[in-house]
Structure formats: structure tokens, C-alpha cells
Amino acid sequence: MPFPSPTMCGVDLKQQCSPAASSPVGAIGILSHEPRGRMRDTLRVTWLRELEPGLEARFVIRGAPLTDAGATCGEHETHSDIVFVNAPSDLRRENGPLLSFVLWLRCAMLAFPRAPFVGKADDDVWVAARWVHHTLSQLSSLRSQQPYIYVGGFEQYHWRPDVDAPARWSNGVQRESCRDRPSEGADHWLHGPFSFAKGALFLLSRPLATRLSGQGSSRHESRYAAMPRTRSYSPREHAEAITAGDPPRCVKW
């Protein structure tokens, strides 16, 4: 006998990811936290009010369990723009947003099966929705030549094995191979660079989102979720969580 699907505010968590009738060019999950209702209301009366017809946006909230079910369920009933993900609501910022993002990707790929782009935004930013819609529409024509497209900011860092810490941060993507190298003007070695998505808004082409939300990401997700929620973490612990226990290393996609 199959286990029943979990529910929050009377919402079947699997059913909420059922295919929608719309075919947007992009679906944006706005990562939020249950107590930030005023932030969500602010977005509803600003850029979300002017959302282009070709874009879809949902607030993404971890709700296992909800800490104020009455207020949150009332908000959901009023606006019908919240996706609940089955993850602890009290996760810290070091692991909570990452887990929300992975679970949103998995839901969005089902809910918007024809959307060429899926992404995330923070709940404290203003998004130029018209520009986003125009950019994604233009990029859609390139997907046949370049299936893996990332729209957003990037940051890079290197790793210092001697102290188990990141170093030499930079914005953007420097086109250099990942390798061991001596640090300029210092007596230690650096390993890298490692690039990662950064910023309050970014979107992924569907093939890239599929890759990130697939089985290969589950071990990272579970490792992050298992990290203690009541303390901060060392750079080494972050690196081990991101690489599922392995030290930072260069890999080929």
C-alpha cells in the first residue's frame, strides 16, 4: 500500500506540482521563509503585479512543520501563489535556501513541463520582469545550439589546502583551467578556480535545471539537510557538504 502524500494547509505536495495549463518562457521560485509575510506582500504589490504573461512566479516555503499554520495557510488561501516544499522550516541560512532551491527545481520541472527556463529569486529584491521576459525570449532561440544556459551572476574562488579555506575571490568567470597553482607573492598553493551561482536572481535552461535537480544532486541535498541547524560552519565543512564529503577538486562536466 503506497504511503499517502504529505499535505500542508490542505495542499497535497505532489498534486501542487501537477502540470499547469500555462506555457511560460520562465518559471521563478521566490525563496522565502514563513515569518517573512510582509516581504511577500510587498512583492505582490510591486513587481509581481506587473509580471509579464510569459512568466510564472511562486513563493517557495519550507513547511515541515509550519510554525504559524493559521497565518500561513490563510495567506495561501488568499493568494494561491505559494509552493510548499517538504523540508524543515527551521533550517539555517547555510543549508535551508539550497534545499528549498533543489526541491523547487524538481517541482517546477513537473508543474511547467514546457518552460524553457526555471530559476530562483530572493524575497527581498525587485525584479525587472519585462527585461527578464525579453532576455529569456531571446535566449530561447539559442537552446538548440547551446542547451546549458545560465542567466545570472557568477563568483569564483580558489582553495588553500594548507589552511582548508577559500581564497582569491573574484566576480564573473575567468576562463582558466581548474588546477593547482602557486599563489602570487605567497608561499602556499591554490586549487581552482571553482565557479558558483551567486545573486538574488538567476535562471537555468531546462536541460541544466534537469541535470541539477536529478539523482546526482540528492546526496548533496541530504548532506546539507543533515548539517546541524544550531551553529555556523567552517569553510571546510561547507566544502565537504557541497562535494558530498570529498575535498574541493576539479571535475569535467
Side-chain angles (χ1 to χ4, degrees):
M1 182 176 179
F3 290 104
S5 175
T7 62
M8 295 177 192
C9 297
V11 177
D12 184 300
L13 298 194
K14 290 185 178 180
Q15 191 66 32
Q16 69 177 346
C17 302
S18 299
S22 60
S23 300
V25 68
I28 302 173
I30 306 170
L31 306 188
S32 190
H33 188 46
E34 189 183 358
R36 294 168 68 88
R38 293 181 62 182
M39 300 294 293
R40 293 189 291 275
D41 284 339
T42 299
L43 268 57
R44 291 183 178 111
V45 298
T46 54
W47 69 267
L48 285 176
R49 177 177 289 179
E50 303 173 356
L51 200 65
E52 295 290 309
L55 289 177
E56 292 282 354
R58 301 287 189 275
F59 290 103
V60 181
I61 295 178
R62 300 184 306 278
L66 295 171
T67 57
D68 188 354
T72 305
C73 293
E75 179 184 351
H76 172 71
E77 184 177 350
T78 299
H79 300 286
S80 300
D81 58 0
I82 297 175
V83 168
F84 295 104
V85 294
N86 192 18
S89 57
D90 60 347
L91 289 176
R92 294 171 62 92
R93 63 185 300 271
E94 290 89 353
N95 48 3
L98 175 61
L99 187 53
S100 293
F101 176 58
V102 172
L103 296 177
W104 157 249
L105 281 184
R106 294 178 180 177
C107 180
M109 300 299 286
L110 297 172
F112 305 102
R114 292 177 294 278
F117 290 93
V118 177
K120 76 95 179 177
D122 292 341
D123 65 359
D124 58 355
V125 300
W126 179 83
V127 174
R130 184 172 300 179
W131 178 89
V132 172
H133 181 267
H134 174 76
T135 299
L136 297 184
S137 298
Q138 295 294 314
L139 290 175
S140 293
S141 62
L142 303 177
R143 288 181 297 130
S144 58
Q145 294 82 23
Q146 178 54 262
Y148 293 139
I149 300 176
Y150 170 84
V151 184
F154 252 107
E155 190 167 297
Q156 287 186 325
Y157 71 95
H158 290 69
W159 191 262
R160 283 189 56 179
D162 60 322
V163 294
D164 281 335
R168 194 180 163 191
W169 297 83
S170 61
N171 292 316
V173 177
Q174 301 175 12
R175 297 188 177 278
E176 55 179 319
S177 60
C178 184
R179 59 184 175 85
D180 288 320
R181 71 195 71 213
S183 179
E184 297 178 4
D187 58 356
H188 58 264
W189 285 75
L190 296 175
H191 194 47
F194 301 99
S195 300
F196 62 95
K198 179 180 176 66
L201 170 71
F202 61 80
L203 295 107
L204 313 172
S205 62
R206 191 172 192 85
L208 184 54
T210 299
R211 185 161 191 169
L212 290 181
S213 63
Q215 294 300 318
S217 66
S218 60
R219 62 188 184 130
H220 300 172
E221 169 199 326
S222 60
R223 188 172 180 86
Y224 251 99
M227 293 176 73
R229 307 168 200 165
T230 57
R231 65 178 181 86
S232 58
Y233 309 99
S234 69
R236 179 68 179 185
E237 289 173 312
H238 275 295
E240 289 180 344
I242 293 170
T243 58
D246 302 323
R249 58 190 174 88
C250 302
V251 296
K252 291 184 178 181
W253 274 43

mmCIF file of all heavy atoms in Angstrom, residues 101-144:
data_model
loop_
_atom_site.group_PDB
_atom_site.id
_atom_site.type_symbol
_atom_site.label_atom_id
_atom_site.label_comp_id
_atom_site.label_asym_id
_atom_site.label_seq_id
_atom_site.Cartn_x
_atom_site.Cartn_y
_atom_site.Cartn_z
ATOM 1 N N PHE A 101 15.784 25.439 -2.948
ATOM 2 C CA PHE A 101 16.019 25.602 -4.379
ATOM 3 C C PHE A 101 15.956 24.260 -5.106
ATOM 4 O O PHE A 101 15.316 24.140 -6.160
ATOM 5 C CB PHE A 101 17.377 26.267 -4.603
ATOM 6 C CG PHE A 101 17.770 26.395 -6.038
ATOM 7 C CD1 PHE A 101 16.968 27.074 -6.937
ATOM 8 C CD2 PHE A 101 18.951 25.830 -6.500
ATOM 9 C CE1 PHE A 101 17.325 27.191 -8.277
ATOM 10 C CE2 PHE A 101 19.313 25.946 -7.829
ATOM 11 C CZ PHE A 101 18.503 26.625 -8.722
ATOM 12 N N VAL A 102 16.611 23.235 -4.572
ATOM 13 C CA VAL A 102 16.600 21.919 -5.212
ATOM 14 C C VAL A 102 15.177 21.373 -5.292
ATOM 15 O O VAL A 102 14.734 20.880 -6.343
ATOM 16 C CB VAL A 102 17.518 20.944 -4.457
ATOM 17 C CG1 VAL A 102 17.359 19.522 -5.000
ATOM 18 C CG2 VAL A 102 18.978 21.378 -4.589
ATOM 19 N N LEU A 103 14.425 21.492 -4.208
ATOM 20 C CA LEU A 103 13.051 20.985 -4.203
ATOM 21 C C LEU A 103 12.145 21.798 -5.116
ATOM 22 O O LEU A 103 11.219 21.257 -5.742
ATOM 23 C CB LEU A 103 12.510 20.972 -2.775
ATOM 24 C CG LEU A 103 13.238 20.019 -1.811
ATOM 25 C CD1 LEU A 103 12.662 20.139 -0.406
ATOM 26 C CD2 LEU A 103 13.149 18.583 -2.297
ATOM 27 N N TRP A 104 12.391 23.105 -5.214
ATOM 28 C CA TRP A 104 11.632 23.925 -6.151
ATOM 29 C C TRP A 104 11.916 23.500 -7.585
ATOM 30 O O TRP A 104 10.999 23.390 -8.403
ATOM 31 C CB TRP A 104 11.954 25.404 -5.967
ATOM 32 C CG TRP A 104 11.672 26.226 -7.192
ATOM 33 C CD1 TRP A 104 12.589 26.833 -8.005
ATOM 34 C CD2 TRP A 104 10.391 26.518 -7.774
ATOM 35 N NE1 TRP A 104 11.975 27.484 -9.043
ATOM 36 C CE2 TRP A 104 10.608 27.310 -8.934
ATOM 37 C CE3 TRP A 104 9.087 26.191 -7.431
ATOM 38 C CZ2 TRP A 104 9.582 27.769 -9.732
ATOM 39 C CZ3 TRP A 104 8.040 26.647 -8.246
ATOM 40 C CH2 TRP A 104 8.300 27.436 -9.380
ATOM 41 N N LEU A 105 13.176 23.256 -7.912
ATOM 42 C CA LEU A 105 13.504 22.813 -9.263
ATOM 43 C C LEU A 105 12.734 21.550 -9.622
ATOM 44 O O LEU A 105 12.164 21.438 -10.711
ATOM 45 C CB LEU A 105 15.006 22.557 -9.403
ATOM 46 C CG LEU A 105 15.935 23.753 -9.581
ATOM 47 C CD1 LEU A 105 17.366 23.270 -9.792
ATOM 48 C CD2 LEU A 105 15.508 24.637 -10.738
ATOM 49 N N ARG A 106 12.716 20.608 -8.723
ATOM 50 C CA ARG A 106 12.037 19.344 -9.002
ATOM 51 C C ARG A 106 10.538 19.562 -9.205
ATOM 52 O O ARG A 106 9.929 18.947 -10.087
ATOM 53 C CB ARG A 106 12.285 18.365 -7.861
ATOM 54 C CG ARG A 106 13.739 17.944 -7.762
ATOM 55 C CD ARG A 106 13.982 17.006 -6.602
ATOM 56 N NE ARG A 106 15.386 16.628 -6.535
ATOM 57 C CZ ARG A 106 15.903 15.857 -5.584
ATOM 58 N NH1 ARG A 106 15.130 15.392 -4.621
ATOM 59 N NH2 ARG A 106 17.191 15.564 -5.595
ATOM 60 N N CYS A 107 9.949 20.424 -8.409
ATOM 61 C CA CYS A 107 8.523 20.712 -8.555
ATOM 62 C C CYS A 107 8.248 21.481 -9.844
ATOM 63 O O CYS A 107 7.313 21.158 -10.585
ATOM 64 C CB CYS A 107 8.033 21.497 -7.344
ATOM 65 S SG CYS A 107 6.270 21.931 -7.392
ATOM 66 N N ALA A 108 9.064 22.499 -10.114
ATOM 67 C CA ALA A 108 8.837 23.347 -11.285
ATOM 68 C C ALA A 108 8.973 22.575 -12.591
ATOM 69 O O ALA A 108 8.262 22.851 -13.559
ATOM 70 C CB ALA A 108 9.810 24.525 -11.267
ATOM 71 N N MET A 109 9.898 21.603 -12.636
ATOM 72 C CA MET A 109 10.063 20.820 -13.858
ATOM 73 C C MET A 109 8.812 20.020 -14.181
ATOM 74 O O MET A 109 8.525 19.743 -15.340
ATOM 75 C CB MET A 109 11.263 19.889 -13.714
ATOM 76 C CG MET A 109 12.586 20.617 -13.463
ATOM 77 S SD MET A 109 13.045 21.732 -14.800
ATOM 78 C CE MET A 109 13.554 20.548 -16.014
ATOM 79 N N LEU A 110 8.055 19.658 -13.145
ATOM 80 C CA LEU A 110 6.796 18.943 -13.347
ATOM 81 C C LEU A 110 5.649 19.904 -13.608
ATOM 82 O O LEU A 110 4.801 19.655 -14.470
ATOM 83 C CB LEU A 110 6.480 18.090 -12.112
ATOM 84 C CG LEU A 110 7.478 16.972 -11.766
ATOM 85 C CD1 LEU A 110 7.117 16.357 -10.428
ATOM 86 C CD2 LEU A 110 7.517 15.925 -12.862
ATOM 87 N N ALA A 111 5.615 21.000 -12.858
ATOM 88 C CA ALA A 111 4.493 21.927 -12.952
ATOM 89 C C ALA A 111 4.490 22.715 -14.255
ATOM 90 O O ALA A 111 3.426 23.098 -14.755
ATOM 91 C CB ALA A 111 4.518 22.889 -11.761
ATOM 92 N N PHE A 112 5.674 22.982 -14.797
ATOM 93 C CA PHE A 112 5.789 23.762 -16.036
ATOM 94 C C PHE A 112 6.629 22.983 -17.041
ATOM 95 O O PHE A 112 7.781 23.339 -17.333
ATOM 96 C CB PHE A 112 6.412 25.122 -15.738
ATOM 97 C CG PHE A 112 5.684 25.900 -14.682
ATOM 98 C CD1 PHE A 112 6.166 25.975 -13.380
ATOM 99 C CD2 PHE A 112 4.493 26.545 -14.981
ATOM 100 C CE1 PHE A 112 5.485 26.679 -12.400
ATOM 101 C CE2 PHE A 112 3.800 27.254 -14.006
ATOM 102 C CZ PHE A 112 4.302 27.318 -12.712
ATOM 103 N N PRO A 113 6.078 21.900 -17.579
ATOM 104 C CA PRO A 113 6.870 20.981 -18.423
ATOM 105 C C PRO A 113 7.334 21.583 -19.739
ATOM 106 O O PRO A 113 8.233 21.018 -20.372
ATOM 107 C CB PRO A 113 5.895 19.813 -18.655
ATOM 108 C CG PRO A 113 4.531 20.404 -18.476
ATOM 109 C CD PRO A 113 4.678 21.447 -17.414
ATOM 110 N N ARG A 114 6.756 22.718 -20.139
ATOM 111 C CA ARG A 114 7.179 23.333 -21.407
ATOM 112 C C ARG A 114 7.971 24.627 -21.199
ATOM 113 O O ARG A 114 8.313 25.303 -22.166
ATOM 114 C CB ARG A 114 5.944 23.611 -22.279
ATOM 115 C CG ARG A 114 5.268 22.329 -22.781
ATOM 116 C CD ARG A 114 4.021 22.622 -23.579
ATOM 117 N NE ARG A 114 2.966 23.222 -22.748
ATOM 118 C CZ ARG A 114 2.143 22.512 -21.980
ATOM 119 N NH1 ARG A 114 2.235 21.202 -21.923
ATOM 120 N NH2 ARG A 114 1.200 23.116 -21.267
ATOM 121 N N ALA A 115 8.271 24.954 -19.958
ATOM 122 C CA ALA A 115 9.041 26.170 -19.684
ATOM 123 C C ALA A 115 10.508 25.942 -20.050
ATOM 124 O O ALA A 115 11.140 25.041 -19.503
ATOM 125 C CB ALA A 115 8.923 26.557 -18.223
ATOM 126 N N PRO A 116 11.074 26.744 -20.952
ATOM 127 C CA PRO A 116 12.480 26.551 -21.319
ATOM 128 C C PRO A 116 13.466 27.004 -20.246
ATOM 129 O O PRO A 116 14.622 26.604 -20.269
ATOM 130 C CB PRO A 116 12.643 27.382 -22.595
ATOM 131 C CG PRO A 116 11.546 28.394 -22.538
ATOM 132 C CD PRO A 116 10.419 27.752 -21.808
ATOM 133 N N PHE A 117 13.014 27.829 -19.279
ATOM 134 C CA PHE A 117 13.899 28.304 -18.217
ATOM 135 C C PHE A 117 13.199 28.205 -16.863
ATOM 136 O O PHE A 117 12.002 28.479 -16.747
ATOM 137 C CB PHE A 117 14.313 29.763 -18.452
ATOM 138 C CG PHE A 117 15.248 29.945 -19.614
ATOM 139 C CD1 PHE A 117 14.739 30.233 -20.876
ATOM 140 C CD2 PHE A 117 16.620 29.823 -19.454
ATOM 141 C CE1 PHE A 117 15.592 30.396 -21.960
ATOM 142 C CE2 PHE A 117 17.478 29.981 -20.529
ATOM 143 C CZ PHE A 117 16.969 30.271 -21.795
ATOM 144 N N VAL A 118 13.975 27.802 -15.862
ATOM 145 C CA VAL A 118 13.495 27.728 -14.486
ATOM 146 C C VAL A 118 14.556 28.366 -13.601
ATOM 147 O O VAL A 118 15.761 28.157 -13.809
ATOM 148 C CB VAL A 118 13.254 26.271 -14.044
ATOM 149 C CG1 VAL A 118 12.814 26.223 -12.583
ATOM 150 C CG2 VAL A 118 12.220 25.603 -14.927
ATOM 151 N N GLY A 119 14.139 29.150 -12.610
ATOM 152 C CA GLY A 119 15.129 29.805 -11.770
ATOM 153 C C GLY A 119 14.600 30.159 -10.407
ATOM 154 O O GLY A 119 13.525 29.706 -9.995
ATOM 155 N N LYS A 120 15.378 30.977 -9.725
ATOM 156 C CA LYS A 120 15.001 31.384 -8.376
ATOM 157 C C LYS A 120 15.270 32.871 -8.176
ATOM 158 O O LYS A 120 16.106 33.476 -8.845
ATOM 159 C CB LYS A 120 15.767 30.557 -7.341
ATOM 160 C CG LYS A 120 17.223 30.960 -7.148
ATOM 161 C CD LYS A 120 17.386 31.938 -5.985
ATOM 162 C CE LYS A 120 18.828 32.329 -5.746
ATOM 163 N NZ LYS A 120 18.986 33.341 -4.668
ATOM 164 N N ALA A 121 14.552 33.448 -7.230
ATOM 165 C CA ALA A 121 14.778 34.831 -6.805
ATOM 166 C C ALA A 121 14.689 34.865 -5.287
ATOM 167 O O ALA A 121 14.101 33.975 -4.664
ATOM 168 C CB ALA A 121 13.746 35.767 -7.424
ATOM 169 N N ASP A 122 15.278 35.866 -4.682
ATOM 170 C CA ASP A 122 15.128 36.079 -3.249
ATOM 171 C C ASP A 122 13.878 36.918 -2.990
ATOM 172 O O ASP A 122 13.385 37.622 -3.886
ATOM 173 C CB ASP A 122 16.358 36.782 -2.676
ATOM 174 C CG ASP A 122 17.594 35.894 -2.711
ATOM 175 O OD1 ASP A 122 17.433 34.664 -2.827
ATOM 176 O OD2 ASP A 122 18.716 36.437 -2.635
ATOM 177 N N ASP A 123 13.384 36.879 -1.763
ATOM 178 C CA ASP A 123 12.137 37.590 -1.463
ATOM 179 C C ASP A 123 12.359 39.036 -1.029
ATOM 180 O O ASP A 123 11.415 39.702 -0.602
ATOM 181 C CB ASP A 123 11.327 36.839 -0.398
ATOM 182 C CG ASP A 123 12.016 36.780 0.958
ATOM 183 O OD1 ASP A 123 13.138 37.318 1.073
ATOM 184 O OD2 ASP A 123 11.435 36.207 1.899
ATOM 185 N N ASP A 124 13.595 39.529 -1.152
ATOM 186 C CA ASP A 124 13.864 40.925 -0.783
ATOM 187 C C ASP A 124 14.443 41.716 -1.954
ATOM 188 O O ASP A 124 15.198 42.658 -1.762
ATOM 189 C CB ASP A 124 14.821 40.993 0.416
ATOM 190 C CG ASP A 124 16.146 40.282 0.157
ATOM 191 O OD1 ASP A 124 16.303 39.649 -0.912
ATOM 192 O OD2 ASP A 124 17.032 40.360 1.047
ATOM 193 N N VAL A 125 14.088 41.311 -3.183
ATOM 194 C CA VAL A 125 14.602 42.003 -4.368
ATOM 195 C C VAL A 125 13.446 42.468 -5.241
ATOM 196 O O VAL A 125 12.330 41.943 -5.170
ATOM 197 C CB VAL A 125 15.538 41.094 -5.195
ATOM 198 C CG1 VAL A 125 16.720 40.642 -4.372
ATOM 199 C CG2 VAL A 125 14.788 39.898 -5.756
ATOM 200 N N TRP A 126 13.744 43.463 -6.051
ATOM 201 C CA TRP A 126 12.816 43.894 -7.094
ATOM 202 C C TRP A 126 13.341 43.374 -8.414
ATOM 203 O O TRP A 126 14.519 43.527 -8.732
ATOM 204 C CB TRP A 126 12.727 45.419 -7.135
ATOM 205 C CG TRP A 126 11.815 45.930 -8.209
ATOM 206 C CD1 TRP A 126 10.462 46.061 -8.148
ATOM 207 C CD2 TRP A 126 12.189 46.366 -9.520
ATOM 208 N NE1 TRP A 126 9.962 46.564 -9.332
ATOM 209 C CE2 TRP A 126 11.008 46.753 -10.187
ATOM 210 C CE3 TRP A 126 13.414 46.462 -10.178
ATOM 211 C CZ2 TRP A 126 11.018 47.227 -11.490
ATOM 212 C CZ3 TRP A 126 13.432 46.933 -11.491
ATOM 213 C CH2 TRP A 126 12.234 47.315 -12.122
ATOM 214 N N VAL A 127 12.476 42.724 -9.178
ATOM 215 C CA VAL A 127 12.861 42.105 -10.449
ATOM 216 C C VAL A 127 12.259 42.897 -11.603
ATOM 217 O O VAL A 127 11.058 43.210 -11.591
ATOM 218 C CB VAL A 127 12.382 40.640 -10.509
ATOM 219 C CG1 VAL A 127 12.662 40.038 -11.885
ATOM 220 C CG2 VAL A 127 13.069 39.812 -9.423
ATOM 221 N N ALA A 128 13.102 43.243 -12.563
ATOM 222 C CA ALA A 128 12.625 43.903 -13.778
ATOM 223 C C ALA A 128 12.012 42.835 -14.677
ATOM 224 O O ALA A 128 12.668 42.283 -15.564
ATOM 225 C CB ALA A 128 13.775 44.622 -14.479
ATOM 226 N N ALA A 129 10.747 42.518 -14.423
ATOM 227 C CA ALA A 129 10.102 41.374 -15.069
ATOM 228 C C ALA A 129 10.084 41.502 -16.589
ATOM 229 O O ALA A 129 10.256 40.508 -17.300
ATOM 230 C CB ALA A 129 8.688 41.207 -14.530
ATOM 231 N N ARG A 130 9.886 42.718 -17.087
ATOM 232 C CA ARG A 130 9.834 42.893 -18.546
ATOM 233 C C ARG A 130 11.182 42.571 -19.174
ATOM 234 O O ARG A 130 11.259 41.918 -20.220
ATOM 235 C CB ARG A 130 9.428 44.329 -18.885
ATOM 236 C CG ARG A 130 9.259 44.591 -20.383
ATOM 237 C CD ARG A 130 8.676 45.965 -20.633
ATOM 238 N NE ARG A 130 7.355 46.085 -20.008
ATOM 239 C CZ ARG A 130 6.621 47.204 -20.062
ATOM 240 N NH1 ARG A 130 7.072 48.280 -20.690
ATOM 241 N NH2 ARG A 130 5.436 47.234 -19.491
ATOM 242 N N TRP A 131 12.276 43.000 -18.518
ATOM 243 C CA TRP A 131 13.616 42.697 -19.028
ATOM 244 C C TRP A 131 13.893 41.202 -18.973
ATOM 245 O O TRP A 131 14.463 40.626 -19.910
ATOM 246 C CB TRP A 131 14.665 43.447 -18.213
ATOM 247 C CG TRP A 131 16.075 43.156 -18.647
ATOM 248 C CD1 TRP A 131 16.793 43.800 -19.598
ATOM 249 C CD2 TRP A 131 16.919 42.118 -18.129
ATOM 250 N NE1 TRP A 131 18.049 43.236 -19.714
ATOM 251 C CE2 TRP A 131 18.150 42.207 -18.829
ATOM 252 C CE3 TRP A 131 16.765 41.142 -17.148
ATOM 253 C CZ2 TRP A 131 19.212 41.340 -18.575
ATOM 254 C CZ3 TRP A 131 17.810 40.270 -16.896
ATOM 255 C CH2 TRP A 131 19.011 40.384 -17.606
ATOM 256 N N VAL A 132 13.486 40.545 -17.883
ATOM 257 C CA VAL A 132 13.695 39.107 -17.752
ATOM 258 C C VAL A 132 12.954 38.361 -18.855
ATOM 259 O O VAL A 132 13.499 37.466 -19.511
ATOM 260 C CB VAL A 132 13.235 38.609 -16.371
ATOM 261 C CG1 VAL A 132 13.259 37.084 -16.305
ATOM 262 C CG2 VAL A 132 14.131 39.186 -15.276
ATOM 263 N N HIS A 133 11.712 38.750 -19.088
ATOM 264 C CA HIS A 133 10.920 38.094 -20.136
ATOM 265 C C HIS A 133 11.563 38.290 -21.502
ATOM 266 O O HIS A 133 11.679 37.340 -22.295
ATOM 267 C CB HIS A 133 9.500 38.650 -20.131
ATOM 268 C CG HIS A 133 8.607 38.023 -21.158
ATOM 269 N ND1 HIS A 133 8.430 38.550 -22.429
ATOM 270 C CD2 HIS A 133 7.848 36.898 -21.114
ATOM 271 C CE1 HIS A 133 7.606 37.798 -23.109
ATOM 272 N NE2 HIS A 133 7.231 36.791 -22.339
ATOM 273 N N HIS A 134 12.008 39.501 -21.805
ATOM 274 C CA HIS A 134 12.646 39.777 -23.089
ATOM 275 C C HIS A 134 13.936 38.964 -23.243
ATOM 276 O O HIS A 134 14.182 38.373 -24.306
ATOM 277 C CB HIS A 134 12.947 41.272 -23.209
ATOM 278 C CG HIS A 134 13.724 41.630 -24.439
ATOM 279 N ND1 HIS A 134 13.150 41.690 -25.687
ATOM 280 C CD2 HIS A 134 15.052 41.944 -24.606
ATOM 281 C CE1 HIS A 134 14.066 42.030 -26.578
ATOM 282 N NE2 HIS A 134 15.227 42.183 -25.943
ATOM 283 N N THR A 135 14.748 38.912 -22.193
ATOM 284 C CA THR A 135 16.020 38.194 -22.269
ATOM 285 C C THR A 135 15.800 36.703 -22.491
ATOM 286 O O THR A 135 16.452 36.080 -23.346
ATOM 287 C CB THR A 135 16.824 38.419 -20.979
ATOM 288 O OG1 THR A 135 17.093 39.814 -20.827
ATOM 289 C CG2 THR A 135 18.146 37.658 -21.023
ATOM 290 N N LEU A 136 14.881 36.122 -21.746
ATOM 291 C CA LEU A 136 14.630 34.692 -21.889
ATOM 292 C C LEU A 136 14.038 34.368 -23.258
ATOM 293 O O LEU A 136 14.362 33.328 -23.857
ATOM 294 C CB LEU A 136 13.692 34.210 -20.788
ATOM 295 C CG LEU A 136 14.211 34.339 -19.352
ATOM 296 C CD1 LEU A 136 13.216 33.728 -18.376
ATOM 297 C CD2 LEU A 136 15.581 33.700 -19.189
ATOM 298 N N SER A 137 13.206 35.235 -23.766
ATOM 299 C CA SER A 137 12.634 35.015 -25.102
ATOM 300 C C SER A 137 13.724 35.016 -26.166
ATOM 301 O O SER A 137 13.707 34.206 -27.102
ATOM 302 C CB SER A 137 11.588 36.089 -25.413
ATOM 303 O OG SER A 137 10.512 36.040 -24.494
ATOM 304 N N GLN A 138 14.687 35.928 -26.026
ATOM 305 C CA GLN A 138 15.798 35.979 -26.972
ATOM 306 C C GLN A 138 16.680 34.742 -26.846
ATOM 307 O O GLN A 138 17.130 34.183 -27.850
ATOM 308 C CB GLN A 138 16.632 37.242 -26.725
ATOM 309 C CG GLN A 138 15.904 38.548 -27.001
ATOM 310 C CD GLN A 138 15.561 38.719 -28.473
ATOM 311 O OE1 GLN A 138 16.397 38.495 -29.337
ATOM 312 N NE2 GLN A 138 14.337 39.114 -28.745
ATOM 313 N N LEU A 139 16.937 34.299 -25.639
ATOM 314 C CA LEU A 139 17.830 33.160 -25.423
ATOM 315 C C LEU A 139 17.192 31.838 -25.840
ATOM 316 O O LEU A 139 17.903 30.875 -26.131
ATOM 317 C CB LEU A 139 18.232 33.083 -23.953
ATOM 318 C CG LEU A 139 19.175 34.186 -23.452
ATOM 319 C CD1 LEU A 139 19.382 34.051 -21.950
ATOM 320 C CD2 LEU A 139 20.520 34.120 -24.173
ATOM 321 N N SER A 140 15.879 31.790 -25.876
ATOM 322 C CA SER A 140 15.204 30.538 -26.233
ATOM 323 C C SER A 140 15.610 30.052 -27.614
ATOM 324 O O SER A 140 15.677 28.846 -27.864
ATOM 325 C CB SER A 140 13.686 30.721 -26.167
ATOM 326 O OG SER A 140 13.261 30.929 -24.846
ATOM 327 N N SER A 141 15.915 30.989 -28.509
ATOM 328 C CA SER A 141 16.302 30.602 -29.872
ATOM 329 C C SER A 141 17.680 29.969 -29.922
ATOM 330 O O SER A 141 18.050 29.368 -30.932
ATOM 331 C CB SER A 141 16.262 31.827 -30.790
ATOM 332 O OG SER A 141 17.189 32.815 -30.355
ATOM 333 N N LEU A 142 18.469 30.096 -28.856
ATOM 334 C CA LEU A 142 19.820 29.548 -28.834
ATOM 335 C C LEU A 142 19.891 28.159 -28.230
ATOM 336 O O LEU A 142 20.957 27.533 -28.237
ATOM 337 C CB LEU A 142 20.753 30.473 -28.034
ATOM 338 C CG LEU A 142 20.866 31.919 -28.498
ATOM 339 C CD1 LEU A 142 21.762 32.700 -27.543
ATOM 340 C CD2 LEU A 142 21.406 31.992 -29.915
ATOM 341 N N ARG A 143 18.790 27.667 -27.704
ATOM 342 C CA ARG A 143 18.858 26.434 -26.930
ATOM 343 C C ARG A 143 19.260 25.221 -27.756
ATOM 344 O O ARG A 143 19.847 24.279 -27.236
ATOM 345 C CB ARG A 143 17.516 26.176 -26.250
ATOM 346 C CG ARG A 143 17.256 27.125 -25.090
ATOM 347 C CD ARG A 143 15.927 26.816 -24.425
ATOM 348 N NE ARG A 143 14.803 27.013 -25.327
ATOM 349 C CZ ARG A 143 13.844 26.127 -25.522
ATOM 350 N NH1 ARG A 143 13.874 24.984 -24.894
ATOM 351 N NH2 ARG A 143 12.844 26.391 -26.344
ATOM 352 N N SER A 144 18.959 25.226 -29.039
ATOM 353 C CA SER A 144 19.336 24.078 -29.860
ATOM 354 C C SER A 144 20.849 24.006 -30.061
ATOM 355 O O SER A 144 21.424 22.923 -30.165
ATOM 356 C CB SER A 144 18.631 24.148 -31.225
ATOM 357 O OG SER A 144 18.968 25.358 -31.899
#
